[in-house]
Amino acid sequence: MVASGSKSQAKKPTKKDSKDASGKAKNPTDKALKAKKAVAKGTFINRKKKARYSVHFRRPKTLSLPRAPKYPRQSAPGRPKLDQFKIVKYPLTTESAMKKIEDNNTLVFIVDKRSNKNMIKAAVHKLYSIEVQRVNTLIRPDGEKKAYVRLASDYDALDVANKVRYLAISKRLKLKHSYIAYCSQ
């Protein structure tokens, strides 16, 4: 009886016993059988096709990194093409310009052809520290641009003209003209 009782107590190994608590197969043959089943089944069975809702293919957005150059492509930064010294070339010292200074509180300059009224206004303000009321421009027949710069009422164009050396230039021109007139006699 003892022998029969011992037989009943001995357990046969089952599938549950072949795995330990972590769920992994204890036996290497079990691992091999599992791999054999996976190979027989194939890896493409569980693959799902992506649903497409349009007949057009739109290329997906991929990673686009910002540029990280190893060296600058320009050796030095570019200088501004039109600064205040290039915009205002020189003051005009004709008789009509002098009349404008005295009567209309307006200075007359020859300026760069590419400059606009706002640029001229800013350039005169930077150069001579004066407030400008308005600027009128025209292009002369010789291709130069002339700017009539009307000063604010609290500035006197004659004082500014002295500061700009208008009158010194006009006196020089008058002397030159008088000398030419004297020589031609």
Side-chain angles (χ1 to χ4, degrees):
M1 274 203 200
V2 177
S4 65
S6 64
K7 282 184 182 177
S8 64
Q9 287 179 357
K11 288 184 179 177
K12 289 184 180 178
T14 60
K15 285 187 180 178
K16 287 183 181 176
D17 292 337
S18 65
K19 294 183 180 179
D20 62 357
S22 64
K24 292 184 180 175
K26 290 180 186 175
N27 206 348
T29 54
D30 291 342
K31 260 187 168 178
L33 286 170
K34 211 174 192 184
K36 183 181 174 184
K37 279 182 188 174
V39 168
K41 195 176 184 184
T43 55
F44 297 103
I45 289 175
N46 294 334
R47 180 175 280 188
K48 264 188 155 180
K49 279 209 168 181
K50 183 182 172 186
R52 294 197 177 272
Y53 301 105
S54 170
V55 293
H56 302 288
F57 176 74
R58 300 280 181 204
R59 188 177 62 80
K61 293 278 185 281
T62 56
L63 178 68
S64 57
L65 295 169
R67 289 184 177 184
K70 302 292 182 206
Y71 64 94
R73 293 296 184 260
Q74 285 185 331
S75 60
R79 290 175 54 203
K81 286 190 165 77
L82 287 175
D83 58 349
Q84 69 261 27
F85 303 107
K86 283 218 177 158
I87 289 172
V88 176
K89 289 183 179 177
Y90 54 90
L92 202 63
T93 55
T94 58
E95 285 182 32
S96 60
M98 292 301 154
K99 193 168 171 63
K100 289 264 185 201
I101 290 172
E102 293 163 7
D103 298 344
N104 301 343
N105 203 30
T106 302
L107 300 174
V108 185
F109 294 100
I110 297 297
V111 294
D112 194 288
K113 204 177 196 177
R114 297 167 292 176
S115 59
N116 58 32
K117 292 181 181 184
N118 291 332
M119 288 178 175
I120 295 166
K121 190 174 184 177
V124 169
H125 178 71
K126 278 184 184 175
L127 286 172
Y128 306 118
S129 304
I130 52 176
E131 290 299 320
V132 176
Q133 185 177 336
R134 65 185 284 181
V135 176
N136 288 339
T137 59
L138 62 89
I139 294 183
R140 303 192 315 183
D142 65 349
E144 295 286 343
K145 187 180 251 189
K146 189 196 291 187
Y148 294 99
V149 179
R150 178 111 189 230
L151 303 184
S153 58
D154 49 326
Y155 289 95
D156 186 31
L158 210 61
D159 294 340
V160 176
N162 284 332
K163 184 179 170 185
V164 180
R165 298 180 57 200
Y166 253 97
L167 300 176
I169 294 169
S170 65
K171 282 179 186 174
R172 237 184 266 147
L173 284 173
K174 283 180 185 174
L175 286 172
K176 186 178 179 183
H177 290 299
S178 62
Y179 177 73
I180 290 169
Y182 173 75
C183 291
S184 63
Q185 287 177 359

